[in-house]
Amino acid sequence: MIHRTEQEEREYLEVIKEKLLDTIRQTEDRVRQFDTELRQNKEYLHEHKSGMDEADLVAAGQSINRIANTGESVVARKSKLQKLCESPYFGRIDFTPNERGQYTPIYIGIHTFTDEASRTNLVYDWRAPISSMFYDFELGDAWYNTPSGKIAGMITIKRQYKIRKGNMEFMIENDVNIHDDVLQKELSKSSDDRMKTIVATIQRDQNEVIRNETAQVMIIQGVAGSGKTSIALHRVAFLLYRFRDEIKAKDVLIISPNKVFADYISNVLPELGEEQIPEMGMEELASDVLEDKYKFQRFFEQVSLLLERHDEDHIERIKFKSTFEFLSKLNQYIIHLENNFFSFLELRVGKTVVPFPFILERFKAYHRIPLLKRTPEVVKDIQQYVRNEVQRKLTGHEKSQIWQAMPRIFKTDNLLDIYKNFYRWVDKPALFRMAGDKLEYSDVFPLIYCKIRLEGVQAFDHVKHLLVDEMQDYTPVQYSVLSRLFKCKKTILGDINQTVNPHSASSAESIEQVFPQGDTVKLYRSYRSTYEISSFAQRISHNPDLIPLERHGQEPVVKGLKSNAQEIEEIKKLISDFKNSAHPSMGIICKTMKQAEFVYQEVKAPGVYLLTADSTSYNDGVIITTAHLAKGLEFDEVIIPFASVRNYQTDVDKRMLYIACTRAMHHLTLTFTGDKSEFI
């Protein structure tokens, strides 16, 4: 055994850092070399271009591109090495394979680091097959899978380190609760301004999800604070490592709930050594597919309306369009259109009459083509029919006659009219209503579904993996749209208890109906909040499956005040206390944006930010926002103002209150005027 004592481990760390610095210096020399070579090649091409033939020019261009690409990869390697200098590794296992009996110390970090002279790995990437044992096993028997089969053996040492800025802050020896100890240390710290990597604290159940490379659709149902988004991003990083010849960062797409959340998670993959991956909101996707032809409500606007006034008719419209029954009826309607979409008109070309039954039969013959896209094929068949009748080629005028007659055969080719007619067909015309000059949000994806089925759309074939966050906020129709637009593998994650609109929520079980091939994993352990905050949130909305981590802190404070003005004064005091604390993040989470704007105007000060549906970035400091927009975020301290019975009374309100409480890591305060909400 080597490096047994903590002092020896500290000395070994210095050796690794020195080797890293040597390699960085060598890499910098190579970068300079490539830069010089690239400049010289460009100068040569510029000077001799006039005397070179086409083949020489192509060869010279290819040479320049090759040098540039190689240089870029060397620069990327230098960046990874510099990150390793900060923290070369976080774990170590000593593993003795059964068949060889040769002991090997395995240090595990964010990236692989190889000693070029001895051609041995000094640090293994956390995603490497051998590294999986660090997450899956304690001391004793262990094994890992390789492309050539399973390798079994014995782990004799297991250690975990916290190395920051090149200094070892602590080392934990081979204890069976090694992960729990480090986890407690990490979770008791303050929140950062971005989501952090969790490579040092990945738990066994999380590791199983991250390293699942076979699932066509991975559905992750996780309780608040279970780390599901972080796990999903680490899963993407693993897949990019495992299938690096087949999939790149640009081939992955995240469907994220809003731009602030996208910014909040933007740090994770670059920290893991991968490029930033593209992201898109559901509404951006809708605008793209509908080609910006229709104005529509945003999801945020729909939720705001539900929170500001209780409209039974609006709720009924949302509920109806959020069911599998609705999707089934929509499919039946599209089948109905196949037979009833036509005006029974014969087509006359000169003296030749093309009977309607022939036209209808030809439309049905092309059933694999969307209904509104079959016309060109049917026109060819009609032209052939007329040619056979007149025994000659058709004139341009005759061809034009056929094309001009086709629109009259359809009752309408206006997509929105066809969709509106669906509600008359199901005898529920009141369930379609425009919001002024906009479509209601609940109609956007049903309209897209009709467009896909009737007109066809270009699938997103360039996307090789789709990650969908906040899965509970999307309906069966939305998932059916996603399944038709994205044929690739998918990771879908969320929490049914954190839906912002209970009238249109989807659980893992309902999503499985759209993706029956999906592998569902449920994560019950919550890591974010203290035991006291978790218990408080459980009393608002009980989840019998949630297992809080035994990390203790202060009891949440519920404070009654005499007026809203006093509540504002209390909030100002709490902000002042926060600014004098060691915590970097505070969330003031309101029910509605109007309330958030009111609080912001009252407490406005440097370091206090209002986060709206149009915000694009996440800031450290004091964030004032709504529960809807705070989903997925976490704060050291959370204040929930106006927690009165008048403000929080409906089922939607209850969900918002639960979401707001579960954003808090260390401290939670609720203020109210009059009587407190019965949910508290």
Side-chain angles (χ1 to χ4, degrees), residues 370-373 450-458:
L371 185 61
L372 298 179
K373 293 295 183 183
C450 289
K451 180 179 174 65
I452 292 169
R453 294 292 306 274
L454 296 171
E455 294 182 351
V457 297
Q458 188 68 43

Side-chain angles (χ1 to χ4, degrees), residues 221-240:
Q221 165 81 48
V223 299
S226 58
K228 52 193 172 291
T229 301
S230 195
I231 291 165
L233 292 169
H234 284 67
R235 171 168 160 73
V236 168
F238 171 78
L239 294 172
L240 291 172

Side-chain angles (χ1 to χ4, degrees), residues 45 51-62:
L45 180 62
M52 297 170 77
D53 61 23
E54 191 174 336
D56 288 338
L57 285 169
V58 169
Q62 288 175 340

Side-chain angles (χ1 to χ4, degrees), residues 235-372:
R235 171 168 160 73
V236 168
F238 171 78
L239 294 172
L240 291 172
Y241 173 89
R242 173 69 180 82
F243 301 104
R244 51 190 172 275
D245 294 333
E246 301 165 35
I247 182 170
K248 308 296 181 194
K250 64 181 174 59
D251 304 325
V252 181
L253 179 66
I254 298 179
I255 301 284
S256 62
N258 54 63
K259 293 293 180 189
V260 171
F261 180 75
D263 183 53
Y264 179 67
I265 66 173
S266 64
N267 200 44
V268 175
L269 283 160
E271 282 298 311
L272 294 171
E274 300 296 342
E275 291 176 31
Q276 190 57 33
I277 61 180
E279 63 83 26
M280 177 185 272
M282 268 292 203
E283 285 138 20
E284 283 178 85
L285 179 66
S287 293
D288 190 2
V289 176
L290 292 172
E291 302 168 291
D292 294 317
K293 289 179 181 175
Y294 305 90
K295 291 181 180 178
F296 56 81
Q297 275 181 342
R298 294 186 292 175
F299 183 52
F300 179 78
E301 291 173 295
Q302 183 198 73
V303 174
S304 296
L305 284 171
L306 291 171
L307 288 167
E308 287 165 11
R309 68 172 191 268
H310 188 76
D311 182 339
E312 285 291 349
D313 291 340
H314 187 205
I315 290 170
E316 186 187 355
R317 292 196 296 277
I318 292 169
K319 279 184 171 179
F320 177 69
K321 297 163 194 177
S322 304
T323 62
F324 278 97
E325 181 195 0
F326 170 73
L327 180 57
S328 176
K329 290 278 187 194
L330 212 48
N331 284 324
Q332 289 169 32
Y333 174 64
I334 289 164
I335 293 168
H336 163 79
L337 292 177
E338 288 279 339
N339 299 306
N340 299 278
F341 188 58
F342 306 93
S343 301
F344 286 78
L345 298 172
E346 60 184 25
L347 197 159
R348 188 176 292 275
V349 183
K351 293 181 180 180
T352 304
V353 174
V354 183
F356 179 76
F358 172 80
I359 298 171
L360 182 61
E361 184 270 325
R362 294 324 298 155
F363 265 103
K364 289 186 175 182
Y366 297 108
H367 62 90
R368 294 187 182 279
I369 301 173
L371 185 61
L372 298 179

Side-chain angles (χ1 to χ4, degrees), residues 17 35 42 98 135 186 280-281 385 406 673:
K17 281 163 56 184
D35 188 50
K42 284 182 175 179
N98 290 339
Y135 303 109
E186 288 298 301
M280 177 185 272
Y385 181 93
M406 293 310 291
T673 301

